[in-house]
Amino acid sequence: MTRDTLKNRMGKRRIDLRELKRDAGSRIVMLVVDGLGGYPHPDTGLSELETASLPNLDSIAGESACGLTIPIAPGITPGSGPGHMALFGYMPTRHRVGRGVMEALGIGLDLAEGDVAARGNFCVADGDGRLLDRRAGRIPSERSDELVALLDGIDVPGHKVSVHAVRDHRFVAVFHNIGPSSEATDTDPGLDGHMPLESQPVGPDSEELARAVNAFVAGSHEALKGKEAQAVALRGISSPPVLPSFPERFGLRPAAIAAYPMYRGLARLAGMDVLSTGRDFASELDTLKAVYEEAEHDFFFLHYKPADAAGEDGDFNGKVAALEALDSMLPQVLALDPDVLVIAGDHSTPAVFGGHSWHPVPLAIRSKLTKGDGAAAFTERSMASGSIGTVKAMSVMTLAMAHAGRLKKSGP
Amino acid sequence: MTRDTLKNRMGKRRIDLRELKRDAGSRIVMLVVDGLGGYPHPDTGLSELETASLPNLDSIAGESACGLTIPIAPGITPGSGPGHMALFGYMPTRHRVGRGVMEALGIGLDLAEGDVAARGNFCVADGDGRLLDRRAGRIPSERSDELVALLDGIDVPGHKVSVHAVRDHRFVAVFHNIGPSSEATDTDPGLDGHMPLESQPVGPDSEELARAVNAFVAGSHEALKGKEAQAVALRGISSPPVLPSFPERFGLRPAAIAAYPMYRGLARLAGMDVLSTGRDFASELDTLKAVYEEAEHDFFFLHYKPADAAGEDGDFNGKVAALEALDSMLPQVLALDPDVLVIAGDHSTPAVFGGHSWHPVPLAIRSKLTKGDGAAAFTERSMASGSIGTVKAMSVMTLAMAHAGRLKKSGP
């Protein structure tokens, strides 16, 4: 029984947007502010959004349908992968992006169908192969680059394995042409002082992968003999998810504009056209303006990173400044007058937590159909009483499509 | 594998109200205001509910638990069928009412188990059978009634097919005694200038239906030869959904009071007693008052149509007036002092859109357990910060049962 048959027999039929979509000729800009949501500072009782001076965002909130999004589920803190998958309309628990794939996307590798990526660490090991330090003293990139070159030459019979430096003790190993939907368990034991684990296949199509992984690890002992790090630990070993095509699902011709490779990679997984752009948001805006009037795309995913980066650093004032910098550039987006402007976040990154969190994330959808619904300011508290309510982030694309006039009525 | 076994294997066990229900002797009135929610008028920034003078609704909001309902899913605009299914406690994506069935209910046909209904159009066709005009110039009822009579005589071997006029170019064909849970694809190609499609079975129990549909279409060519319309196009061909019984699920003895046939039909599908009433809401109220004190029913579904009708017409002031007219009659409901009064809508119909929309719909639940939770007025904006929050419309029955003291604790 296929999954679809099972679903029909269960009668658990979800809304299939492919049945409802229509081409209204309208255009959607989705600005994803990475780590958008925050949390009140203990001294002031005000969050980053409440502290910052954000005249444009506040004005957009006043003209928009507003609400909060839950990236995965209440209380669940998402990584960037599920955070973006949800905003692109994919069920984040179903369409998983492994750690190896995320690292590969993060350094701009373009994984082909059938490739499998693993995140690797260089380790210090004793004579028995026990991993004494799974980060090899955070060996700096200058010295680990040489080790990467040694691994890149390992012979794994029947397969090509390429190894790519990430930073310091981290690398990515790509097992080429293994076959789609392969996954194998980690060789990283997760704790110092333990022997590396043998990788096991996850599911029936992954035996070839596990064999290749274990052959690569065996080869690494030989290659690294007498070096500063003598072993490797691999984790997050899987092929990229095979996603239903975003263009096909939504009937949109999407363009992704993102300065950071990881977000370009996530967009490419969904089947978006990834446009070349510069290294910051100002360059992204130049790219957007250059392509907006061409008829080639009608959906534009725009990514803003600095808010998350400051939040991760625990830098409250830095995050405030990053939000204010974004705000000052928004008139360039508004000048394009897109039919629908979505401002969303992949997750919250409160500076007071110094990392991602599970808190619902502000959402504004501005269209010709919105006149504002009372959100007086672009803040977590104000959005909580917006007309959209608190919804799953997976619903954002549906709401965007509705506001774009791109959905027919469901049911008679 | 039975559905229950399957469900357990899938691990998707939902709350089963049949295990929790208890008879508290309390009575629930559910007033469904069709197309209740609206949207701000561009000139005033106020919605229909905000514009209207609604002293009784505002007072009820002040005494109620309030919130907003999402009929199907965020961004999805529902038809009347799924809108009501959800308020009756059925998952609207699982229990679908086809277009043919809705049309049949709309003209007051009482479909028997095993019947299948199809929505039909009269069409102008060329000599090859190509459908040139799928509405036959919107042929008026006076002239299409004759054509309906011709179709009603078509001989489909092994099956009785009855044909019923709806209005203008529209009719309903009922294929009798085909078997439950049958569904077949449309013969309507969806665009003028195309040949009609051959109907195909949807699922294994529908081959007999597809055969009958194709035989009927073949017979129609003969029956309509030389007439103003020479062909038909059928769509939405399915049996009524087999719904779990509302009385059994909720332990309630429900009565439906609705002036319009379609809503009586939907209530009958759920297993409600459909009471005879007049042609307007005043008559419905007379019916309610007459039966309320009898011990035969403890749930009363009351339907108010004019708000939706004005919204569909794009008549903002008309919708305001329809809401004010409703408000002025509400003291008659309040005088009965029901244990629980639910005021809900099947969907929003903003006059500025001139049709149904996806926007969350105001909800008030007034009971002996509510003292009001801060909704100062019966409006979309005010309800957004009510204590119920923004919930799926499918939850309304559960909330009504809770307020009626009709649900036990779940789990020890």
Side-chain angles (χ1 to χ4, degrees):
Chain A
M1 206 182 327
T2 67
R3 169 169 288 165
D4 279 350
T5 322
L6 193 64
K7 215 188 267 176
N8 286 344
R9 281 192 54 176
M10 293 282 292
K12 298 261 177 191
R13 295 167 76 178
R14 292 181 175 276
I15 289 289
D16 187 343
L17 292 187
R18 285 172 300 192
E19 294 171 7
L20 299 180
K21 71 186 178 190
R22 66 175 167 202
D23 187 0
S26 49
R27 284 180 296 178
I28 301 170
V29 172
M30 177 186 276
L31 167 59
V32 176
V33 184
D34 209 303
L36 172 59
Y39 206 78
H41 192 283
D43 294 346
T44 63
L46 299 176
S47 74
E48 298 91 324
L49 282 168
E50 289 167 338
T51 303
S53 168
L54 305 170
N56 293 303
L57 280 167
D58 289 346
S59 154
I60 289 169
E63 296 167 359
S64 296
C66 295
L68 293 169
T69 59
I70 296 176
I72 301 179
I76 303 295
T77 296
S80 299
H84 278 79
M85 284 299 117
L87 289 178
F88 295 164
Y90 299 98
M91 194 182 295
T93 50
R94 180 168 170 180
H95 302 286
R96 299 189 190 216
V97 188
R99 170 157 296 277
V101 172
M102 286 296 279
E103 293 281 351
L105 300 180
I107 56 170
L109 293 183
D110 192 3
L111 297 171
E113 200 178 319
D115 286 354
V116 167
R119 152 76 186 267
N121 273 16
F122 288 109
C123 308
V124 171
D126 66 13
D128 295 336
R130 197 176 309 277
L131 304 180
L132 303 179
D133 176 356
R134 287 161 44 261
R135 291 184 187 85
R138 295 186 182 276
I139 177 175
S141 301
E142 309 87 87
R143 303 210 300 270
S144 60
D145 282 354
E146 177 211 353
L147 305 181
V148 165
L150 293 173
L151 293 185
D152 200 43
I154 292 176
D155 180 44
V156 173
H159 290 287
K160 182 175 179 302
V161 183
S162 62
V163 180
H164 312 264
V166 176
R167 207 173 57 183
D168 301 344
H169 57 284
R170 296 190 290 265
F171 64 85
V172 170
V174 179
F175 297 81
H176 294 272
N177 208 13
I178 292 278
S181 304
S182 295
E183 186 177 348
T185 60
D186 298 349
T187 72
D188 187 338
L191 284 171
D192 286 346
H194 290 257
M195 295 295 288
L197 308 172
E198 191 174 5
S199 183
Q200 305 285 344
V202 176
D205 299 329
S206 304
E207 291 181 9
E208 189 57 32
L209 171 62
R211 256 194 301 275
V213 167
N214 291 320
F216 174 78
V217 170
S220 71
H221 298 151
E222 196 60 37
L224 298 174
K225 195 164 278 177
K227 298 294 171 187
E228 185 174 357
Q230 305 82 31
V232 300
L234 302 180
R235 54 199 171 105
I237 309 167
S238 70
S239 43
V242 179
L243 298 175
S245 149
F246 183 99
E248 205 265 315
R249 269 186 93 188
F250 298 111
L252 290 166
R253 292 162 299 158
I257 307 175
Y260 282 68
M262 183 181 290
Y263 310 98
R264 291 201 294 272
L266 287 168
R268 192 180 291 112
L269 286 182
M272 296 189 195
D273 286 350
V274 176
L275 306 186
S276 62
T277 188
R279 297 182 145 268
D280 57 18
F281 191 65
S283 309
E284 292 185 22
L285 289 176
D286 289 342
T287 305
L288 175 67
K289 284 182 276 184
V291 300
Y292 190 79
E293 292 307 328
E294 297 167 14
E296 282 181 35
H297 300 99
D298 45 26
F299 179 89
F300 303 86
F301 157 54
L302 205 62
H303 184 262
Y304 184 74
K305 180 70 179 172
D308 178 63
E312 290 263 14
D313 291 343
D315 180 357
F316 192 95
N317 293 334
K319 186 167 171 193
V320 168
L323 292 168
E324 290 180 342
L326 171 67
D327 190 85
S328 71
M329 290 187 276
L330 283 180
Q332 297 180 57
V333 178
L334 294 173
L336 299 175
D337 194 25
D339 299 290
V340 180
L341 172 63
V342 178
I343 301 182
D346 56 341
H347 52 74
S348 293
T349 309
V352 293
F353 294 9
H356 296 192
S357 80
W358 62 89
H359 297 85
V361 189
L363 170 70
I365 300 181
R366 175 181 177 271
S367 77
K368 292 174 175 51
L369 305 177
T370 60
K371 295 291 164 195
D373 55 16
F378 199 104
T379 66
E380 299 83 359
R381 274 182 263 233
S382 185
M383 293 298 188
S385 48
S387 67
I388 293 175
T390 301
V391 298
K392 292 282 181 80
M394 220 191 108
S395 298
V396 170
M397 270 308 301
T398 316
L399 285 162
M401 294 275 289
H403 279 271
R406 285 177 168 272
L407 289 180
K408 291 181 287 193
K409 194 161 67 174
S410 172
Chain B
M1 204 185 325
T2 67
R3 171 170 284 169
D4 280 351
T5 321
L6 196 63
K7 217 188 264 175
N8 286 345
R9 283 188 54 175
M10 293 284 290
K12 296 259 176 192
R13 296 172 73 175
R14 293 182 174 275
I15 289 287
D16 188 343
L17 292 187
R18 286 171 301 191
E19 295 171 6
L20 300 180
K21 71 188 178 191
R22 65 176 167 203
D23 187 359
S26 50
R27 283 179 296 179
I28 301 169
V29 172
M30 178 187 276
L31 167 59
V32 176
V33 184
D34 209 302
L36 172 58
Y39 208 77
H41 192 285
D43 293 347
T44 64
L46 299 176
S47 74
E48 298 91 324
L49 281 168
E50 289 169 336
T51 304
S53 168
L54 305 170
N56 293 303
L57 281 167
D58 287 347
S59 154
I60 289 169
E63 297 166 0
S64 296
C66 294
L68 293 170
T69 58
I70 294 176
I72 301 179
I76 302 294
T77 296
S80 299
H84 279 80
M85 284 299 118
L87 289 178
F88 294 164
Y90 299 98
M91 193 183 295
T93 50
R94 179 168 171 180
H95 302 288
R96 298 192 189 210
V97 188
R99 171 158 296 279
V101 172
M102 287 295 280
E103 293 280 351
L105 301 179
I107 56 171
L109 293 183
D110 193 3
L111 297 171
E113 199 178 319
D115 286 354
V116 167
R119 151 79 188 266
N121 273 17
F122 287 110
C123 308
V124 171
D126 67 13
D128 296 336
R130 197 174 307 276
L131 304 180
L132 302 179
D133 175 357
R134 288 159 44 259
R135 293 183 186 86
R138 296 188 182 274
I139 178 174
S141 302
E142 309 85 88
R143 302 211 301 271
S144 59
D145 283 354
E146 176 211 351
L147 305 180
V148 165
L150 293 173
L151 294 185
D152 199 42
I154 292 175
D155 180 43
V156 173
H159 291 287
K160 181 174 178 306
V161 183
S162 62
V163 180
H164 312 265
V166 177
R167 207 174 55 185
D168 301 343
H169 56 284
R170 296 189 289 266
F171 63 86
V172 171
V174 179
F175 298 81
H176 294 272
N177 207 15
I178 293 275
S181 303
S182 295
E183 186 177 348
T185 60
D186 298 349
T187 73
D188 188 340
L191 285 171
D192 287 345
H194 290 257
M195 295 296 288
L197 307 172
E198 190 175 4
S199 183
Q200 305 285 344
V202 176
D205 300 329
S206 303
E207 290 181 10
E208 189 57 31
L209 171 62
R211 258 195 299 274
V213 167
N214 292 321
F216 174 79
V217 170
S220 71
H221 298 152
E222 195 60 37
L224 297 175
K225 195 164 280 178
K227 298 294 172 186
E228 184 173 358
Q230 304 84 31
V232 299
L234 302 180
R235 55 197 171 106
I237 309 168
S238 70
S239 42
V242 179
L243 297 174
S245 149
F246 184 100
E248 205 264 316
R249 268 185 95 187
F250 296 111
L252 290 166
R253 293 161 297 158
I257 309 175
Y260 282 68
M262 183 181 291
Y263 310 98
R264 292 202 294 273
L266 288 168
R268 191 180 292 113
L269 287 181
M272 296 190 194
D273 287 350
V274 175
L275 307 185
S276 62
T277 189
R279 296 180 147 268
D280 57 18
F281 191 66
S283 309
E284 291 184 23
L285 289 176
D286 290 342
T287 305
L288 175 68
K289 284 182 276 184
V291 300
Y292 190 80
E293 292 306 329
E294 296 167 14
E296 283 181 35
H297 300 98
D298 44 26
F299 179 89
F300 302 87
F301 157 53
L302 206 62
H303 185 261
Y304 183 75
K305 181 71 179 172
D308 177 63
E312 290 264 14
D313 291 343
D315 180 359
F316 192 95
N317 294 334
K319 187 167 171 192
V320 168
L323 292 168
E324 290 180 341
L326 171 67
D327 190 84
S328 71
M329 292 187 275
L330 283 181
Q332 298 180 57
V333 178
L334 296 172
L336 300 174
D337 195 24
D339 299 290
V340 179
L341 172 62
V342 177
I343 302 183
D346 55 342
H347 52 75
S348 293
T349 310
V352 293
F353 293 10
H356 296 192
S357 81
W358 62 89
H359 296 86
V361 189
L363 169 71
I365 301 182
R366 177 181 174 271
S367 77
K368 292 172 175 50
L369 304 178
T370 61
K371 295 287 166 200
D373 55 16
F378 199 104
T379 66
E380 298 84 358
R381 275 183 262 233
S382 186
M383 294 296 189
S385 47
S387 67
I388 293 176
T390 302
V391 297
K392 291 282 181 83
M394 220 191 108
S395 300
V396 170
M397 270 307 300
T398 315
L399 286 163
M401 295 276 287
H403 278 272
R406 284 179 167 272
L407 289 181
K408 292 182 289 194
K409 194 160 65 177
S410 172

